[in-house]
Amino acid sequence: MTRPAQQSVTIVDVAKAAGVSKSTAGRALTGAGEVSARTREKVARVAAELGYRPNGVARSMITGNTETVGVVIPDMSNRFFSAALQSIARTVRQHGYELLVSSTDGEPTLERRSVEVLATKRVDGLIVAPVSGADAYHLRQLAESGTALVLLDRPAPKITGSSFVSVNNIEASRLAVNHLIGLGHRHIGIISEARYDAASAGKADPAPTVDRPSTLRLAGYVRAMTDAGLTVRSEHVAHSAYSSTASYAAARRLLQATPRVTAIYCTDNVLSVGAFAALQDSGRRCPQEVSLIGFDDHEWAPLVRPRLTVVAQPTEVIGVTAAEDLLAAIADPTREPATRLLPARLITRDSTAPPSHLG
């Protein structure tokens, strides 16, 4: 009972070889409808012998789902997203789903195209880390079409039908800055992708469903400083593009222009790399002269000298939570979306210490 390898085995071939109708063979293989155990076993055996591979699109038309979910992230090389992706994959596979993944390189156009392509493939749901929450028409269309959607790490305020999962970025920064304040630091610098607006700082708290992680982390720094009665100085806020090269330059500028700074907090894992190198090259001893706190607990953080104190995101838990929320939304489309802000933790190592003198 064989066919030439170059020919595709169809459900008609399986039905003919098993001596049943096409509809009976289809029900036996998909589990949809009533078929006797004996017939189901026979059809399955014949299908295996013929090397039959089911048509996923046709099967989805019968069952109403494809047992696939899509994940769209901006940067596959970023350890946060790659680690979150691993825990997402592990979680959905435990429930019989498989992943289709797209990396957009931080390009909104590629994100829109990825979402459109995955939607045409009839994925049962999507987890998306948006490049820009303001440019979210494609996501709003997706949510309004009834496709289950969960936003990861980056919110989109105009999307009302999706859950959002992230670390609590404001509190994460407060952990870092309060640690430095507790050690006695008063002039604390920060390296951030976000730009500081002294005119609007402190007038209103940014909503966690609106702002990007970098904005929220900067807001947490401002809040911790002001709550402690310390002055937030614009020259202590070093803006950096998202690269270790840019953060190296930003840290060098900060150290050269503000000699009174005795501690620096970096709001991103990539920025932490450049800042650490800049501090090493500056000639100022860490932590004796300048303490340093990074973001995310990468493998290198405990290996360098001094070992880096970090704010650690619960990356695996974030991925699992996003996957579980998506699976719940697939199972129950009427389920109310939720915003889940998970707590970070501070891991203290050798790169932070009391200042050798009060600046």
Side-chain angles (χ1 to χ4, degrees):
M1 190 181 297
T2 59
R3 291 176 61 88
Q6 70 271 20
Q7 295 185 21
S8 174
V9 178
T10 68
I11 190 69
V12 174
D13 299 321
V14 174
K16 183 177 179 181
V20 298
S21 68
K22 176 184 174 181
S23 59
T24 298
R27 290 196 300 272
L29 292 172
T30 62
E34 302 234 353
V35 179
S36 70
R38 180 178 178 182
T39 299
R40 193 183 307 279
E41 181 181 343
K42 181 180 180 181
V43 171
R45 175 172 50 79
V46 170
E49 290 173 351
L50 291 176
Y52 170 72
R53 291 179 179 275
N55 184 315
V57 174
R59 186 176 187 277
S60 71
M61 293 177 68
I62 297 172
T63 62
N65 63 68
T66 61
E67 296 179 348
T68 59
V69 298
V71 179
V72 180
I73 55 178
D75 184 2
M76 193 80 75
S77 65
N78 185 303
R79 186 182 176 278
F80 169 78
F81 289 114
S82 62
L85 182 61
Q86 287 179 332
S87 57
I88 290 169
R90 186 165 54 249
T91 304
V92 299
R93 285 169 178 159
Q94 289 171 353
H95 292 80
Y97 286 81
E98 193 49 74
L99 286 187
L100 297 176
V101 182
S102 178
S103 179
T104 66
D105 295 326
E107 293 290 339
T109 301
L110 289 179
E111 178 182 296
R112 289 192 294 271
R113 184 168 180 267
S114 296
V115 169
E116 290 168 3
V117 169
L118 290 169
T120 61
K121 292 187 179 297
R122 299 170 63 91
V123 293
D124 297 323
L126 272 169
I127 296 174
V128 181
V131 174
S132 170
D135 182 14
Y137 178 71
H138 56 297
L139 298 177
R140 188 164 71 251
Q141 278 188 314
L142 189 73
E144 290 173 354
S145 74
T147 302
L149 175 65
V150 171
L151 301 179
L152 174 70
D153 187 55
R154 291 123 178 252
K158 295 181 181 178
I159 310 300
T160 58
S162 64
S163 291
F164 170 55
V165 181
S166 172
V167 70
N168 189 326
N169 287 294
I170 290 179
E171 291 305 312
S173 281
R174 284 167 60 91
L175 274 177
V177 179
N178 284 337
H179 173 64
L180 294 171
I181 293 171
L183 290 173
H185 294 277
R186 297 297 178 264
H187 296 276
I188 301 170
I190 181 172
I191 300 176
S192 171
E193 284 184 88
R195 294 186 182 275
Y196 176 64
D197 182 1
S200 62
K203 289 186 178 180
D205 289 337
T209 55
V210 174
D211 289 295
R212 291 174 60 83
S214 57
T215 306
L216 293 168
R217 291 170 193 172
L218 178 57
Y221 161 86
V222 171
R223 188 182 297 179
M225 293 287 286
T226 54
D227 284 352
L230 300 177
T231 301
V232 178
R233 303 178 187 275
S234 57
E235 63 269 25
H236 290 176
V237 181
H239 170 72
S240 172
Y242 183 71
S243 77
S244 58
T245 301
S247 67
Y248 180 95
R252 289 300 296 263
R253 290 194 304 271
L254 178 64
L255 290 167
Q256 291 168 3
T258 56
R260 296 183 73 190
V261 163
T262 60
I264 298 174
Y265 163 51
C266 301
T267 60
D268 184 88
N269 58 73
V270 173
L271 305 188
S272 302
V273 175
F276 184 88
L279 184 53
Q280 293 286 307
D281 292 347
S282 72
R284 297 176 69 177
R285 294 174 300 158
C286 176
Q288 293 88 342
E289 295 177 81
V290 180
S291 288
L292 181 67
I293 295 184
F295 206 95
D296 280 330
D297 192 26
H298 283 198
E299 290 87 348
W300 64 272
L303 301 178
V304 295
R305 293 295 181 269
R307 299 179 303 162
L308 187 64
T309 294
V310 296
V311 177
Q313 296 190 78
T315 308
E316 181 175 349
V317 178
I318 289 172
V320 170
T321 303
E324 290 178 342
D325 271 17
L326 185 70
L327 293 170
I330 292 171
D332 180 10
T334 65
R335 183 174 181 267
E336 284 295 317
T339 295
R340 307 189 190 282
L341 303 179
L342 305 180
R345 65 190 178 100
L346 184 73
I347 301 176
T348 56
R349 297 193 179 105
D350 308 327
S351 67
T352 51
S356 56
H357 63 280
L358 293 180

